[in-house]
Amino acid sequence: MLDQTFQTPAPKVIAGAKHNWELVIGLEVHAQVSSNAKLFSGASTTFGAEPNSNVAFVDAGMPGMLPVINEECVAQAVRTGLGLKANINLLSAFDRKNYFYPDLPQGYQISQLYHPIVGEGEVFVEMDDGTARTVRIERIHLEQDAGKSVHDMDPNNSFVDLNRTGVALMEIVSRPDIRGPEEAAAYVTKLRQIMQYLGTCDGNMQNGSLRADVNVSVCRPGEYEKYQATQDFTHLGTRCEIKNMNSMRFMQAAIDFEARRQIAILEDGGIVNQETRLYDADKNETRSMRSKEEAHDYRYFPCPDLLPLEIEQDWVDELATKLPELPDAKKSRFMSSFNLSNYDAGVLTADTQNATYFEQVANGRDGKAAANWVINELFGRMKKEGVTVSYCPVSPDQLGSIIDLIANGEISGKIAKELFEIVYTEGGNPADIVSSRGMTQVTDTSAIEATVTQIIADNPIQVEKAKQNPKLAGWFVGQVIKATGGKANPQLVNQIVASKLSL
Ligand code: ADP
Ligand code: MG
């Protein structure tokens, strides 16, 4: 944890017609495991392959085929658990969740209901306004993903693509600790960041690698505190579950809509039915998909094709020692080693590539200067071009030498920006560019003095004004720097202008 004290964010309060209401949210995040092969077959998991080309017989539910557990998927779930400071269960087991879907040819999904591989953990979530909350994780279990039914290719037929069938998913279940739409988005963002650091899920929401079922309820102020004290869910309202959100923006809109819908029902004297709902982004509303009453009895039972999963503590320990440095640790290290603010360290550690780039620039240099250059100039320029750091034409070494040239007094900050632009568009060694193009800062006192004397002589009215109001000396400094093409050392110019004007 970061050694800083954070205030807890206030719950989102929605004013109803009669009372105020607070939000309570718990998330079930489905994260696709990064692995070459599926959870129980050797078929490839490559995204965007020709339909039905990544399908083993067992994925297609062929009779007589048996699932074989993929060790790498288990390792990925354990790494994720360790990254969320969770208990790893050395004994877990797979269960069959029986239901029919055209894109699930087995007729059941293999999941872990009773004995998940990962138990309780936690995620530290910081909000944009500087507040933070620890969201508790209830469990993570491994399960198979389903395939994809395609209904819009033909007016009379539906198609099925089984490429995703049997790909490993981690279902990460949070406690209902989240208190507003922004917090929900910040929580998913942090989970995604941790998994990207770990390399256990690529976090691509557009491709469906990360999606969330969002449970929302509302309660009256004070009720949540009673729940927290006792963990007794009866103090909370009845929840609805919004399925399959794969956009942060829509997730927040769906939560907001759903809360208002429930408040309207409750204030009208009605009761909220526990049900599964779908969010319609075009209409910005949630619609009932199925209610708990008609909810299926999935007839879960231990999967007879798979032995319980036993793993060794030694193996878990070995995975733990090989974990990379995680976001919270990297962030606090950046703050202490490079003297960065919480905000800057957060921006620089948002992903590992940016963090690595920054560290290469900052090593052996002034951390704050490096952070300014990376965040303001480099990221700003990359954003304009729409590229990520792996496609950035300026290497950490090149940016580092630009910073060195400023630190050595060879170029001014203003020239450095021009130099950066040249290096960005044309490439080259910054020091060579400075000497070959005569960009060196003028630190020759007599040359600057001559320019100052000239400008003073040319502008008697400004001289009078500056004598009455010394702040106006800045105008002369600007003129001198302009006259030298930005190359005059600003500190020197300041001194000389002040002495010549005898301020
Ligand atoms: P189910 O078995 O019906 O899926 P779970 O106990 O697994 O129910 O809970 C599913 C999710 O619902 C969890 O993320 C949990 O935090 C969340 N949840 C439980 N109660 C509430 C509530 N009153 N309001 C919002 N979310 C809730
Ligand atoms: Mg559940």
Side-chain angles (χ1 to χ4, degrees), residues 71-87:
E71 183 179 332
E72 178 56 13
C73 295
V74 177
Q76 292 289 56
V78 171
R79 288 184 188 107
T80 306
L82 292 169
L84 304 184
K85 302 186 193 110
N87 298 321

Side-chain angles (χ1 to χ4, degrees), residues 214-386:
V214 184
N215 296 273
V216 180
S217 67
V218 294
C219 66
R220 299 290 307 280
E223 293 296 305
Y224 187 81
E225 286 66 26
K226 286 189 209 160
Y227 153 72
Q228 265 191 325
T230 57
Q231 292 294 304
D232 177 355
F233 283 85
T234 54
H235 295 293
L236 299 178
T238 305
R239 70 180 186 270
C240 286
E241 179 182 10
I242 314 161
K243 276 276 177 210
N244 258 327
M245 304 298 319
N246 65 352
S247 135
M248 301 280 192
R249 193 160 60 85
F250 291 156
M251 178 174 76
Q252 296 183 63
I255 292 170
D256 196 70
F257 173 87
E258 182 56 23
R260 288 172 200 279
R261 187 189 71 85
Q262 292 179 13
I263 292 168
I265 293 173
L266 293 168
E267 293 207 335
D268 207 31
I271 49 163
V272 173
N273 288 322
Q274 190 179 334
E275 59 186 2
T276 303
R277 300 179 69 87
L278 281 182
Y279 177 69
D280 179 336
D282 294 331
K283 298 202 175 116
N284 184 29
E285 62 179 32
T286 62
R287 273 200 303 272
S288 181
M289 188 177 150
R290 54 175 185 254
S291 75
K292 205 71 180 180
E293 288 88 74
E294 58 193 80
H296 348 255
D297 184 346
Y298 291 114
R299 307 248 165 198
Y300 275 100
F301 62 85
C303 182
D305 290 341
L306 289 156
L307 288 168
L309 181 62
E310 250 188 288
I311 56 177
E312 307 266 318
Q313 185 62 48
D314 284 353
W315 185 62
V316 174
D317 293 344
E318 194 191 319
L319 292 174
T321 58
K322 289 186 187 149
L323 288 189
E325 183 181 38
L326 290 173
D328 289 346
K330 200 184 277 294
K331 186 174 171 188
S332 42
R333 182 169 64 79
F334 276 18
M335 287 170 70
S336 54
S337 315
F338 300 117
N339 197 19
L340 301 185
S341 67
N342 186 57
Y343 179 82
D344 284 355
V347 172
L348 291 166
T349 53
D351 77 62
T352 40
Q353 286 176 333
N354 286 352
T356 306
Y357 187 104
F358 165 74
E359 234 183 317
Q360 286 170 358
V361 176
N363 264 332
R365 301 194 173 92
D366 176 52
K368 273 193 172 152
N372 272 338
W373 272 89
V374 172
I375 295 175
N376 300 324
E377 301 305 320
L378 185 81
F379 289 174
R381 189 69 169 79
M382 279 170 15
K383 205 168 173 183
K384 222 159 73 187
E385 306 277 324

Side-chain angles (χ1 to χ4, degrees), residues 31-47 54 69-77 79 142-143 163 166-170 198-202 209:
Q32 188 181 313
V33 173
S34 297
S35 68
N36 295 331
K38 295 184 181 181
L39 182 54
F40 298 117
S41 85
S44 161
T45 57
T46 318
F47 181 79
N54 293 341
I69 187 88
N70 178 343
E71 183 179 332
E72 178 56 13
C73 295
V74 177
Q76 292 289 56
R79 288 184 188 107
L142 274 169
E143 62 185 25
N163 281 350
V167 165
L169 294 181
M170 295 177 280
L198 290 165
T200 57
C201 169
D202 68 24
S209 299

